[in-house]
Structure formats: C-alpha cells, structure tokens
Amino acid sequence: MIKVVIASQNPVKIKCTERAFQEVFKNESFIFSGINVPSNVADQPMSDLETLEGARNRAKNAQSAEPKADYWVGIEGGISETEAGEMLAFAWISIISNDQKGESRTATFTLPPKIVELIHQGIELGLADDMVFKRSNSKQSNGAVGILTHDLIDRSEYYRPAIVLALIPFINPELY
C-alpha cells in the first residue's frame, strides 16, 4: 500500500490528487490523507516564485509532520500581476518522495477587475470570490476557475493535469 500525504485538508485538493495518482499508477493501491501544514508564505502568494515556494514548503512540512509516507504533495494557489495590470491566477504543485521530486504549474487565467480590486485591498482570492459571487467557501468547491468557466473546468479538474505532470520524474526515474 502506497501512502500519499496531501499538504491540505481541502477536499478538492485531496480528490484531484487521488485521481491523478490512480490514473498514473493504475496497478497500485493507495492510502491518501490530508494534513494541515503551513506554506511559510503569505496567505495569498503574489508571484510565481512565492507560489512555487509555498507548494515546496507545504510538501516538505507534510513530510516532516508525517515522515512514514511514500509521497508528499504540496498544492499552492497564487496570483501575479502582468505589466498591463491584469492579474493571473494559477497554482504550483510540488511532489516529493524520499529520493525524488517533481513540480508543475497549472494553466493560468485572468481574474475579473472586481476580484483584482479586492485583492489589492489585501483580501485573499477565495474570500474575494465569495464576496463578488455571493458564495460561501468556494475554494473548497469549484473555486474561481469553476465560477468563471461556469463549471466547464472545476477546481479539481484544473489541478489534476498539473499533478500528473509533476509525477513525470516518478514514472521516468531513469531520466531524472
């Protein structure tokens, strides 16, 4: 039984990690668990680098908290501003084992001006979504990506391809 620890108790992050691992390692059996650990970055990472650092920190902190696992997965959502003043949303995935690591970033999408305005006021993206779209705890369901795509891409499906891509070094160890 392969143990995978997800550095979050958010059901969306757990579900997408389960799906990705089961798709990549079709013949394996898994035990998945979520754990709350700090990212050691701002609650709302505001750059590509800070978001990547948050994902890495989450994976490492999960490994420290639960060292008897096979994989530790950090997922960190972040935003960055373009030179044109648009704000892009994305997430970084960091997966580590005792002897390997893999990382990948999701696709990006542009946030609407009302959301950007709230973020500039210091409000985290998930809360800004809830305020603008009159939702509650949307980051544990469809998130900004689901709301803005009218659920054509929900948050779980948004993360899944990046998790698969972050697993490339693990399924091709001879190349890494």
Side-chain angles (χ1 to χ4, degrees):
M1 201 61 85
I2 296 170
K3 184 169 184 181
V4 179
V5 176
I6 300 103
S8 175
Q9 289 186 318
N10 183 324
V12 171
K13 293 180 179 182
I14 294 170
K15 177 183 171 187
C16 64
T17 301
E18 289 175 357
R19 285 189 55 219
F21 269 79
Q22 289 166 344
E23 289 170 354
V24 169
F25 302 106
K26 290 179 182 11
N27 299 320
E28 301 292 344
S29 296
F30 294 96
I31 297 172
F32 296 96
S33 64
I35 182 172
N36 276 331
V37 295
S39 66
N40 304 112
V41 299
D43 287 343
Q44 180 58 75
M46 296 295 289
S47 72
D48 190 61
L49 189 58
E50 184 181 18
T51 307
L52 174 57
E53 183 181 338
R56 287 174 174 165
N57 291 343
R58 285 190 190 279
K60 288 176 192 164
N61 290 338
Q63 184 180 34
S64 295
E66 287 202 30
K68 293 185 187 217
D70 299 290
Y71 295 93
W72 299 269
V73 180
I75 302 172
E76 187 74 16
I79 51 181
S80 66
E81 219 159 342
T82 67
E83 290 177 14
E86 293 177 322
M87 195 169 281
L88 303 176
F90 55 88
W92 269 100
I93 314 298
S94 179
I95 302 174
I96 58 175
S97 68
N98 284 319
D99 60 355
Q100 187 64 275
K101 79 169 189 170
E103 296 175 334
S104 182
R105 195 176 108 158
T106 64
T108 60
F109 60 96
T110 306
L111 295 170
K114 285 182 183 178
I115 300 286
V116 173
E117 189 178 308
L118 291 170
I119 291 169
H120 282 152
Q121 294 172 22
I123 296 171
E124 186 260 334
L125 175 58
L127 183 54
D129 288 338
D130 290 346
M131 293 167 68
V132 170
F133 300 109
K134 312 275 188 267
R135 306 274 178 116
S136 177
N137 204 16
S138 60
K139 71 181 188 176
Q140 292 208 1
S141 59
N142 57 353
V145 70
I147 294 167
L148 294 170
T149 65
H150 300 260
D151 289 320
L152 290 172
I153 301 172
D154 69 17
R155 196 165 180 220
S156 180
E157 186 54 32
Y158 176 63
Y159 290 146
R160 190 193 58 75
I163 295 169
V164 171
L165 294 170
L167 286 169
I168 287 173
F170 299 97
I171 58 177
N172 299 283
E174 69 285 359
L175 300 174
Y176 295 84

